[in-house]
Every structure is written in C-alpha cells, then in structure tokens.
Amino acid sequence: MQVPVGFLFMNFELLKRFRRHLRLLKGVSPNTVAAYISDVGKLITWCEEEQRDPVTLTLDDLETFSASLHDLGIASSSHARILCGVRAFYQYLTIDGYVEQDPSELLESPIQDKHLPDVLSTEEVDMIINAIDLSKWEGQRNRAIIEVLFSCGLRVSELVTLTLSNIYEEDEFVRILGKGNKERLVPISGRALHELHLWYMDRRQMKIKPGEEDYVFLNRRGAHLTRTMIFIMIKQYAAMAGIRKTISPHTLRHSFATALLEGGASLRVIQTLLGHESIGTTEIYTHIDMSTLRQEIELHHPRNIKYSSCTSEK
C-alpha cells in the first residue's frame, strides 16, 4: 500500500521540528538528540506502514506500536529506550500545540531483566594493558586510555572529549564535563598520570589539526578520537589478553566503581565520582561479587564458625 507523498513530507517536517526543539533544550547532548530522532523514526515508520498520523495516535495505538517492537524481538532495554524517545516526542507535540493531551503519559515500558554486567579485576586490567604492543605508534596512547578509564571511571564520551586544560596534575584531579553539561572533579591516579606523560612525548611529535590542540587523545591525523574507535580497541586488546568476558569501555567504568565499593567506599561517594544523578543508578552499576559475599559469611558468621568447629572436632 503506497503512502501519500504529502503524508511523508508532514512526518519529515515533524521530525525536523522535534530535532530543533531538542537542540534548543539546555543540556541535551548531540548523542541524545541523535538517539531520540532514531527512536521516533521507528514510530514514524510504523505510522507510515499503518497509514496513521502520529498526531492523532491514542494510548491504545502507542501500546500497539510497543507490542510491535516486542514482536520484532527487540531487547527490553532497547525497547524501553525507544519508548523514552517517543514520550519526549509527544511532550514536544503537546508543548507546541499539535496535540491537546499527551497520549504517552500512561505508556508503560517493558519490565527489564536486571543483570550484573561483567567486571574486571585489577589483574585482568593489567592483562589488557600488557597485551598492548608499545612498538606501534598508538601503543602508549592506548595504555594511557585504558589506565585513565580504569583510574577515573569515565564514560567513553567523557574520555574522548577530555582536554589538557582540564587535567590538574599537581592536585591529581581531572575536571569532567558529564551528562547535561554538569561538571565534576575526579581524582586521577599517579599511574594514570605517568602513562599520560609517556603519551605526551609521542603526542608532541604529531601534527595536530587546528582546533584539536587541547584534546588529550588524538588519532593518526591529529584529530580527537571517536567513541567507536575506543570500543573496537578495547575489545581487541581484551581478546588478545585471553579475557572471555563481554568487554567494552563501560566495563572499565563499572570495574572502577566495583573496586571502590569492595574497598569500603560509600555509594554516595561513588555516585559523585561517576556523575550519577540518582543513587539508584549507582546501585545498578556497583555490586560485590556474590562468591565473595558467600566467603565472607562462611568465614565470619557465628553459625558458620560454630558449625565448622563442630565438624572439625569429629
């Protein structure tokens, strides 16, 4: 069934206006804008297939759209993210007067399976670092990248935008511009600073593109790195180190938080260092390995101590 050209143009215009609306909002990053446009694009595609006008959709229609996402086998986390974009879209349509009442207000997200992501021990982080070939020009740069990620618990987006002017070596702090343009100060380890100094020696030999001079990490062409480059690099080194876990730059951030928690840091401190608005998010990202908890109980709980002494006397 062919969709009228005028209908397609109208939806395209709606997306353009929604994108403009997001860009004007303070604190909405380009990545978030792109994600919301992609998510709402799925709704627009569904509307075109069903020959429906997104402006006239009801809650029942949106629930039918949501069910179609489930039927496509989309993971619950991705499903929930798409609906988040859809809600933002209808909030905009309400603000601009396209709809009188937001039909997405009561739209429920799918129940997400909570699972603990993989975490790396300090020894495993060292294995990844040791897998780096320092004879290659990017070797020292990549050592510094991994050490900074693990030392500071940065998001990959924060790493690629890290600037020389925001590293305070004497105080051993870095200033991070996080989500929503919110700044935070994070301590940086002496080892990470050492790896950075070694990278700076190579960096000084590079021809840097105009406007890129302040970025800490650069590619061969003298421009700052992309998130995709960091993802690929870390996965490759983890494979070379023989680590079979699901690894990404976020794994190092999670490992940073877990190491702090196991070392006795409070969730409030970890929340501040990670730049989380909600401590609930911090609780999801940080955990103590269940086997460690079991060992602690077996060693220190009075019931286990008494039982062990009884059995040893027999």
Side-chain angles (χ1 to χ4, degrees), residues 160-295:
V160 297
T161 56
L162 183 63
T163 58
L164 297 170
S165 56
N166 278 331
I167 297 179
Y168 303 93
E169 294 191 17
E170 290 187 4
D171 299 318
E172 296 188 343
F173 273 91
V174 293
R175 184 185 298 275
I176 303 300
L177 186 64
K179 286 187 174 181
N181 290 326
K182 292 186 177 179
E183 290 188 347
R184 69 184 191 278
L185 291 175
V186 180
I188 184 169
S189 69
R191 177 165 174 174
L193 286 172
H194 173 70
E195 297 294 347
L196 281 172
H197 287 160
L198 295 176
W199 155 238
Y200 293 158
M201 294 171 63
D202 296 333
R203 188 183 182 280
R204 282 193 284 267
Q205 308 303 315
M206 298 179 63
K207 184 178 180 180
I208 301 174
K209 285 187 174 182
E212 304 282 298
E213 295 89 353
D214 200 26
Y215 287 106
V216 174
F217 298 111
L218 305 170
N219 60 24
R220 290 176 182 269
R221 297 179 298 279
H224 68 279
L225 301 177
T226 65
R227 296 184 303 166
T228 303
M229 293 172 69
I230 306 296
F231 271 91
I232 294 171
M233 179 265 288
I234 289 178
K235 281 184 176 293
Q236 287 178 339
Y237 287 135
M240 290 167 61
I243 295 174
R244 304 295 176 224
K245 296 177 180 178
T246 303
I247 303 297
S248 72
H250 189 77
T251 309
L252 291 166
R253 176 171 161 86
H254 184 67
S255 302
F256 160 84
T258 304
L260 286 176
L261 188 66
E262 292 180 342
S266 72
L267 281 179
R268 290 294 181 189
V269 168
I270 298 171
Q271 177 189 4
T272 300
L273 292 174
L274 291 177
H276 287 159
E277 288 192 12
S278 167
I279 199 166
T281 307
T282 310
E283 290 170 343
I284 294 171
Y285 280 106
T286 57
H287 71 280
I288 298 177
D289 184 75
M290 293 304 295
S291 62
T292 303
L293 285 176
R294 182 174 293 280
Q295 290 172 8

Side-chain angles (χ1 to χ4, degrees), residues 109-172:
S109 291
I111 298 174
Q112 298 187 50
D113 297 327
K114 290 186 178 180
H115 65 281
L116 298 176
D118 284 328
V119 63
L120 296 170
S121 65
T122 303
E123 292 73 22
E124 287 173 321
V125 174
D126 289 337
M127 287 169 61
I128 293 175
I129 290 174
N130 292 334
I132 298 172
D133 185 354
L134 290 178
S135 67
K136 296 183 177 180
W137 84 268
E138 74 274 15
Q140 183 55 48
R141 180 201 68 185
N142 293 346
R143 279 181 69 108
I145 285 172
I146 292 173
E147 196 62 54
V148 169
L149 283 172
F150 183 55
S151 169
C152 301
L154 305 187
R155 300 178 178 95
V156 66
S157 58
E158 296 167 346
L159 178 96
V160 297
T161 56
L162 183 63
T163 58
L164 297 170
S165 56
N166 278 331
I167 297 179
Y168 303 93
E169 294 191 17
E170 290 187 4
D171 299 318
E172 296 188 343

